Amino acid sequence: MASALAPTQPSLLECCACRTWAAAVAAGGPYSTIDALISVARAVWWHQTPVTGWLEAFAAHPKIGDLEGLRKKYGGTFGDLSRGEQAAAAGAPEVVLQELADWNARYKAKFGHIFIVCASGKSAAEMLGIIKRR
């Protein structure tokens, strides 16, 4: 039998920088399965987290393709989660990264927060196409 999952608030903050979300999910543990943890995490995000919490998480999220920002925030390692998610951007041509930076600025000016997308498995060019369509 697997042991119970008891995520701490600091470990949850590495996934999502919303303090109210992390506190609520941590307080609900321990969880019997990863599926139970994910179910509660989703429910807390969609039904208990105020808009200010969403904006807190968005503000802490690295911009897609902003490798210098990632270096400043996480050092040379980029942080385990961001490094994996943005791996495709690390090898992208400079022109694509510059265009992502331009579109990130346009997006923030229009919507008031940064462009966020699940970057895992997507190339920098794919992410650029997504931001342009939004």
Side-chain angles (χ1 to χ4, degrees):
M1 183 165 121
S3 61
L5 301 169
T8 63
Q9 188 171 348
S11 66
L12 290 165
L13 286 169
E14 290 182 30
C15 300
C16 175
C18 174
R19 291 171 292 180
T20 56
W21 173 85
V25 174
Y31 300 95
S32 58
T33 66
I34 190 71
D35 289 337
L37 168 61
I38 291 169
S39 179
V40 169
R42 285 183 176 148
V44 169
W45 180 255
W46 291 112
H47 304 293
Q48 297 175 26
T49 303
V51 170
T52 54
W54 291 13
L55 295 176
E56 178 182 30
F58 293 172
H61 200 285
K63 292 177 187 170
I64 298 296
D66 180 9
L67 302 181
E68 189 55 37
L70 285 170
R71 284 185 189 97
K72 286 179 183 173
K73 184 170 184 172
Y74 298 109
T77 66
F78 291 2
D80 292 337
L81 295 175
S82 291
R83 179 182 57 239
E85 187 177 8
Q86 297 214 25
E94 186 62 33
V95 67
V96 173
L97 293 177
Q98 186 56 51
E99 198 170 356
L100 271 170
D102 177 51
W103 279 89
N104 271 316
R106 292 180 191 191
Y107 190 93
K108 186 167 186 175
K110 182 175 182 177
F111 297 108
H113 56 81
I114 67 167
F115 165 68
I116 297 176
V117 65
C118 178
S120 298
K122 292 178 182 70
S123 70
E126 287 175 292
M127 290 183 281
L128 181 58
I130 293 167
I131 195 172
K132 286 180 175 183
R133 287 190 298 277
R134 284 196 191 166

